[in-house]
């Protein structure tokens, strides 16, 4: 459906010009919001406010970060409230974004509160304030909309008196958006349920034409109410873009060690993985830089503290994953550096949009890595539901008895994060429903939309290709990003490294390179012991539940490194790559093992060694156990045998199935049993690779039951 479109320039007039009265009232409100009587609207802002307040339309605003999208919905809220409208409901995706929006609302004289997973206990107080009409804007997360109690008991009354609905970061609605979230797709149903005349505003800074059309279609009330779309230029005149390709992780870290202090102000260093963020933050901090890590593992309270420290310039940088992204508002953020490239130019544009929002200059530098494409492929495959997984979930659920995600995990071979995402997709598609106590099947017919997912996969692949083109292009980098976002006003920026020449130092001093090499050469990652059996193991014929008995626990273990680590991760990934032949442990890797063991803070030193039987790398594991026994003067007790056959857990992905797959796989043979009975002291259990930790847990349990005083797991690598 076609929609009236207002461009960013003065040549395209709005479909219905604002009245003089609304223009004057909005101008007064803008002056109060900014504290400046001479403040003027950016092109399109007043037209959007008029569409919402005067004409009660549905509007989509696609404008660059810093354009003032929040001013549109806060001022529209003020004007609607003056006309007797109910509270605005603002759907916002991230806690960081909510915190900034609440603060911005207060500056605008708007009373805003949020309800989310971190403050759900305050909902009673919020309900009372809503009943007293003391709240102008209620911020909710998209996940909250499907909380059974909120959805069934509280949302209907909220809809009946809603003054306006705002969907922030609206590209999340679309399958084609770079940050697609299943919970956002549920908003289309909410929009359809709104009473006639309730204005709806969707805003985003990162949407190409395909996403714009998709979002507009979901906002549409009908042929008589087309969506009013305001789309402006996405050029960011304050940003100076650059790409520096360095040979390896050591060089990238060396560059940061040498030049982080030269970057303007404070900023963000983005990484692709949690382990990279944590490692880089640690290494930079050890070298004297005031940085901290910010990832999906960071506690909510700590996130808020870190955000405030960065805003207050107490930190030079946060080393962050995409967990620090949409809506984080530090207007004077001086730089954004990426160690590893996001998988699409759209996602990259969104992240660099954190910088230079209220400054004339900010630096943006990409340090791509050769491993980036492997990481892209992993995340792309993890986010796509498959027909076999969906069928397994639907087959396990009933229509009348709720099943928790934990219980369901014991019946289907899908790891927790993937299962939760799949349930959300099936919920939005109407095949399952979240209720008190878990999930039920709706019994509605459901067909796997293979064509849709193939189209999305193809789009993702095309975006990845575009990102590689961005890295290697000799053309204007900002212009290329604008073109990827279908911005018709794209033109050379005159500031990036291709337009104006290289503006960043491209060398790594020897001292920094040496420092990076030393930091990256650190070894030793803890293998945390499993202490609790997964739920629902009886369904898989494994007779365990609750906590592991103290006499069967393994001790905390150690690995040389993670496969995702910046330093040792590279050689280890090469060692475990498909098709690499089995061979004895190399001298280099053995030296790393010796250092990891030397630095291990164990309470009691091991006195014996047991090797795991390896189906894929017997030479590697046996040679490693033998070498550690000889070098460490530890008794080589023998090898833990496998019970024969192919483990039933081959290819398993979730915790319950992985445990079931190795449950009956190990046997303590007579010779090893006798050696354990006569041996005193802890035993080092040696393997090549640790993933779920259930192999080490079950194997260690067998050794403990056979007489081992303690079992210390040791491996070359861990998956995470």
């Amino acid at each position: 459906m076609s929609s009236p479109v207002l461009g960013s320039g003065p040549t395209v007039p709005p479909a219905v010009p604002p009245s003089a009265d609304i223009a004057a009232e909005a101008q007064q409100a803008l002056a109060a919001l900014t504290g400046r009587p001479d403040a003027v609207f950016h092109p399109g802002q007043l037209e959007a406010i008029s569409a919402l307040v005067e004409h009660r339309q549905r509007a989509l605003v696609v404008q660059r970060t810093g354009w003032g999208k929040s001013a549109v919905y806060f001022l529209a809220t003020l004007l609607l409230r003056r006309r007797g409208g109910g509270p605005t409901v603002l759907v916002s995706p991230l806690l960081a974004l909510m915190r900034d929006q609440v603060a911005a609302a207060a500056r605008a004289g708007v009373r805003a509160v949020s309800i989310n997973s971190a403050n759900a206990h305050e909902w009673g107080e919020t309900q009372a304030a809503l009943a007293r009409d003391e709240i102008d804007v209620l911020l909710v997360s998209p996940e909250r909309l499907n909380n059974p109690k909120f959805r069934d008991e509280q949302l209907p009354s909220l809809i009946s008196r809603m003054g306006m609905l705002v969907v922030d970061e609206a590209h999340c609605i679309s399958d084609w958006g770079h940050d697609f979230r299943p919970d956002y797709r549920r908003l289309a149903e909410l929009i359809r349920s709104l009473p006639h005349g309730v204005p709806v505003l969707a805003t985003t800074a990162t949407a190409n034409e395909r996403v714009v059309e998709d979002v507009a279609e979901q906002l549409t009330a009908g042929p008589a109410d087309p969506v009013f779309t305001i789309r402006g230029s996405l050029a960011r005149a304050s940003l100076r873009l650059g790409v520096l390709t360095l040979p390896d992780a050591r060089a990238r870290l060396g560059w940061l060690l040498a030049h982080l202090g030269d970057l303007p102000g404070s900023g963000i260093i983005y990484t692709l993985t949690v382990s990279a963020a944590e490692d880089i933050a640690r290494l930079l901090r050890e070298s004297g830089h005031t940085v901290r890590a910010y990832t999906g593992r960071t506690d909510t309270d700590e996130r808020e503290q870190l955000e405030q420290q960065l805003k207050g310039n107490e930190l030079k940088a946060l080393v962050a994953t995409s967990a620090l992204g949409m809506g984080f508002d530090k207007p004077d953020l001086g730089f954004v550096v990426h160690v590893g490239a996001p998988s699409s130019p759209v996602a990259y544009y969104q992240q660099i949009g954190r910088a230079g929002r209220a400054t004339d200059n900010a630096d943006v530098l990409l340090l791509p890595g050769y491993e980036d494409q492997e990481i892209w492929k992993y995340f792309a495959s993890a986010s796509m539901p498959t027909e076999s997984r969906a069928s397994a979930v639907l087959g396990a659920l009933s229509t009348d008895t709720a099943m928790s995600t934990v219980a369901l995990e014991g019946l289907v071979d899908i790891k927790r994060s993937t299962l939760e995402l799949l349930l959300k997709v099936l919920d939005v598609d109407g095949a399952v429903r979240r209720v008190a106590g878990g999930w039920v099947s709706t019994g509605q017919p459901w067909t796997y939309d293979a064509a849709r997912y193939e189209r999305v996969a193809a789009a993702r692949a095309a975006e990845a290709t575009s990102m590689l083109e961005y890295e290697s292009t000799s053309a204007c980098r900002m212009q290329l990003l604008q073109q990827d976002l279908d911005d018709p006003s794209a033109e050379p920026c005159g500031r990036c490294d291709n337009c104006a020449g290289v503006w960043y130092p491209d060398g790594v001093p020897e001292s920094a390179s040496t420092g990076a090499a030393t930091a990256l050469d650190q070894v030793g990652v803890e293998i945390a012991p499993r202490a609790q059996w997964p739920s629902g193991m009886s369904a898989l014929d494994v007779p365990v539940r609750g906590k592991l008995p103290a006499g069967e626990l393994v001790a905390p273990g150690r690995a040389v490194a993670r496969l995702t680590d910046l330093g040792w991760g590279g050689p280890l990934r090469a060692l475990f790559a498909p098709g690499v032949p089995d061979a004895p442990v190399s001298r280099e890797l053995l030296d790393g093992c010796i250092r990891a063991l030397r630095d291990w803070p164990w309470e009691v030193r091991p006195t014996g060694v047991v090797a795991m039987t390896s189906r894929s790398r017997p030479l590697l594991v046996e040679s490693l156990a033998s070498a550690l026994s000889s070098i460490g003067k530890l008794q080589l007790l023998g090898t833990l045998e496998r019970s024969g056959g192919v483990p039933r857990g081959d290819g398993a992905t979730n915790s319950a199935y992985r445990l079931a797959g190795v449950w009956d796989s190990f046997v303590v043979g007579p010779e090893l049993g006798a050696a354990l009975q006569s041996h005193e002291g802890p035993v080092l259990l040696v393997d090549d690779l640790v993933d779920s930790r259930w192999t080490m847990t079950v194997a260690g349990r067998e050794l403990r039951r056979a007489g081992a005083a303690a079992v210390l797991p040791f491996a070359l690598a861990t998956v995470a």
Side-chain angles (χ1 to χ4, degrees):
M1 175 177 296
S2 62
S3 304
V5 177
L6 174 65
S8 60
T11 58
V12 183
V16 181
S19 68
D21 290 343
I22 202 76
E25 186 179 1
Q27 184 63 49
Q28 289 180 338
L30 177 66
L33 169 65
T34 60
R36 294 181 53 184
D38 60 341
V40 295
F41 284 108
H42 294 152
Q45 284 181 312
L46 179 58
E47 290 78 7
I49 293 170
S50 171
L52 297 166
V53 177
E54 288 193 285
H55 308 292
R56 307 300 174 99
Q57 284 185 270
R58 300 185 174 194
L60 171 60
V61 173
V62 183
Q63 294 281 1
R64 67 183 183 277
T65 301
W67 174 84
K69 295 181 287 294
S70 60
V72 170
Y73 49 72
F74 286 141
L75 295 181
T77 293
L78 280 176
L79 272 56
L80 287 167
R81 293 285 277 165
R82 291 175 185 174
R83 288 157 175 76
T88 290
V89 174
L90 171 56
V91 181
S92 185
L94 294 174
L95 294 181
L97 181 52
M98 286 188 178
R99 288 191 284 268
D100 285 337
Q101 286 166 325
V102 169
R107 293 193 295 270
V110 175
R111 298 167 296 180
V113 299
S114 66
I115 180 71
N116 53 66
S117 58
N119 69 352
H121 59 284
E122 300 174 0
W123 175 243
E125 182 180 337
T126 300
Q127 275 187 301
L130 283 168
R132 297 191 299 267
D133 201 28
E134 295 175 352
I135 292 177
D136 299 318
V137 176
L138 177 67
L139 294 94
V140 299
S141 66
E143 292 79 11
R144 178 62 41 180
L145 296 175
N146 202 37
N147 175 280
K149 185 173 182 179
F150 184 87
R151 180 196 63 212
D152 298 334
E153 300 178 14
Q154 297 147 2
L155 187 59
S157 63
L158 192 58
I159 291 175
S160 67
R161 55 191 299 260
M162 189 186 302
M164 179 171 66
L165 175 66
V166 177
V167 181
D168 205 6
E169 307 296 348
H171 58 272
C172 295
I173 291 177
S174 174
D175 287 343
W176 307 105
H178 73 273
D179 199 21
F180 160 67
R181 299 185 180 193
D183 287 295
Y184 255 78
R185 282 181 55 201
R186 193 174 291 108
L187 288 168
E189 179 181 345
L190 172 61
I191 291 168
R192 288 192 295 270
S193 70
L194 292 177
H196 179 73
V198 175
V200 178
L201 172 65
T203 68
T204 181
T206 50
N208 57 24
E209 191 62 37
R210 182 169 49 198
V211 174
V212 168
E213 292 175 358
D214 193 11
V215 173
E217 182 178 347
Q218 296 187 59
L219 294 179
T220 300
D225 295 300
V227 176
F228 179 54
T229 301
I230 299 176
R231 188 168 188 184
S233 171
L234 300 179
R236 297 292 308 279
S238 63
L239 300 185
R240 183 169 59 164
L241 306 182
V243 175
L244 175 59
T245 301
L246 295 168
D248 51 30
R250 184 180 77 170
R252 294 196 295 276
L253 180 58
W255 192 95
L256 286 173
L257 289 171
H259 302 298
L260 177 59
D262 301 330
L263 293 171
S266 55
I268 300 172
I269 301 169
Y270 277 113
T271 69
L272 298 184
T273 66
V274 171
S275 61
E278 293 174 345
D279 288 347
I280 290 174
R282 173 177 57 83
L283 300 177
L284 289 173
R285 195 164 54 249
E286 289 173 354
S287 297
H289 295 285
T290 54
V291 302
R292 294 285 300 278
Y294 185 113
T295 74
R297 293 179 188 168
T298 308
D299 291 339
T300 299
D301 291 342
E302 186 180 359
R303 288 192 191 192
E304 185 171 2
Q305 179 184 14
L306 293 175
E307 292 163 18
Q308 293 305 318
Q309 288 178 335
L310 185 62
K311 289 178 181 180
N313 296 316
E314 298 171 42
L315 297 172
K316 179 64 177 180
L318 285 177
V319 187
T321 63
S322 58
L324 181 66
M326 292 182 293
F328 174 72
D329 187 14
K330 177 176 167 56
D332 63 341
L333 195 77
F335 65 88
V336 170
V337 174
H338 279 76
V339 182
S343 60
S344 80
V346 182
Y348 185 64
Y349 177 88
Q350 189 273 324
Q351 290 179 352
I352 66 174
R354 302 301 102 218
R357 301 179 66 169
T359 61
D360 292 334
N361 300 287
D363 289 341
V364 172
L365 183 64
L366 171 61
L367 305 174
Y370 71 92
E371 70 278 6
D372 293 351
Q373 294 180 64
E374 296 177 17
I375 297 173
W376 300 348
K377 290 176 183 177
Y378 171 79
F379 285 121
S381 62
S383 64
M384 284 287 185
T386 65
E387 185 171 9
S388 60
R389 288 175 175 174
S391 298
V393 169
L394 294 176
L397 290 174
S398 73
T399 57
D400 52 8
T401 303
M403 184 177 295
S404 69
T405 306
V406 174
L408 185 59
E409 189 180 17
L411 300 178
V412 296
D413 181 19
I414 308 172
K415 67 179 181 180
R416 181 76 57 84
S417 59
T418 304
L419 178 59
E420 290 173 342
L421 179 63
L422 177 56
L423 285 166
K424 290 178 180 181
V425 171
L426 292 172
D427 184 10
V428 173
D429 288 347
V432 306
R433 181 173 174 81
R434 187 181 175 196
V435 297
W439 299 87
V440 296
S441 169
T442 63
Q444 298 296 318
W446 181 85
T447 302
Y448 181 75
D449 193 347
R452 170 181 152 206
Y453 290 117
E454 288 173 2
R455 290 194 301 271
V456 173
R460 296 282 187 266
E463 290 173 348
T465 299
S466 294
M467 194 67 223
L468 296 175
E469 291 175 355
Y470 174 84
E471 294 175 12
S472 61
T473 187
S474 59
C476 172
R477 299 196 193 277
M478 180 59 75
Q479 183 180 22
L480 194 62
L481 289 179
Q482 289 179 259
Q483 290 170 346
D484 280 309
L485 285 156
D486 298 322
D487 182 355
S489 66
E491 60 182 10
C493 69
R495 294 168 59 89
C496 72
D497 55 357
N498 285 339
C499 285
V502 172
W503 51 265
Y504 43 82
D506 57 4
V508 179
E510 183 61 31
S511 59
S513 180
T514 301
T518 301
L520 292 172
D521 194 40
Q522 295 184 21
V523 293
V525 175
E526 182 180 5
I527 303 173
R530 291 279 193 178
Q532 183 90 17
W533 299 116
S535 300
M537 293 308 303
S538 60
L540 297 174
D541 297 322
V542 177
V544 293
R545 60 181 299 178
K547 294 182 178 180
L548 277 75
E552 298 179 1
L553 285 169
V554 300
R558 279 292 186 278
V560 174
R562 308 178 192 91
L563 289 180
T564 54
D565 283 351
L566 295 173
W568 280 87
L572 288 169
R573 285 194 301 271
L575 176 67
F576 292 110
V580 175
D582 184 27
V585 65
S586 68
R587 183 68 232 186
E588 178 188 21
L589 190 50
L590 182 58
D591 288 343
C593 293
I594 293 170
R595 289 195 289 117
L597 291 169
R598 181 195 63 199
D599 298 336
W600 189 342
W602 44 44
E603 295 181 6
V604 182
R605 185 179 184 274
T607 54
V609 177
V610 174
M612 293 283 286
T613 296
S614 174
R615 290 179 292 120
S616 58
R617 302 178 188 87
L619 281 176
L620 178 64
V621 176
E622 291 170 9
S623 65
L624 175 60
S626 177
L628 294 179
S629 168
S630 175
I631 295 170
K633 295 182 172 55
L634 310 175
Q635 183 182 354
L636 186 58
L637 299 172
T639 300
L640 183 62
E641 300 173 5
R642 289 191 178 269
S643 58
V646 178
R648 56 178 169 151
D650 269 19
T653 56
N654 77 15
S655 195
Y657 272 76
R658 288 190 172 192
L659 171 57
V662 298
W663 177 249
D664 50 6
S665 294
F666 303 105
V667 175
V668 176
E671 291 185 12
L672 177 58
L676 289 170
Q677 289 290 335
S678 62
H679 183 76
E680 296 182 1
V683 172
L684 193 70
L685 178 58
V686 176
D687 203 358
D688 53 356
L689 182 66
V690 170
D691 188 354
S692 69
R693 290 172 286 143
W694 284 120
T695 297
M696 281 290 196
T697 300
V698 172
R701 175 179 181 268
E702 293 299 323
L703 296 178
R704 293 294 309 275
R705 287 159 65 95
V711 175
L712 306 174
F714 181 76
L716 295 175
T718 65
V719 172

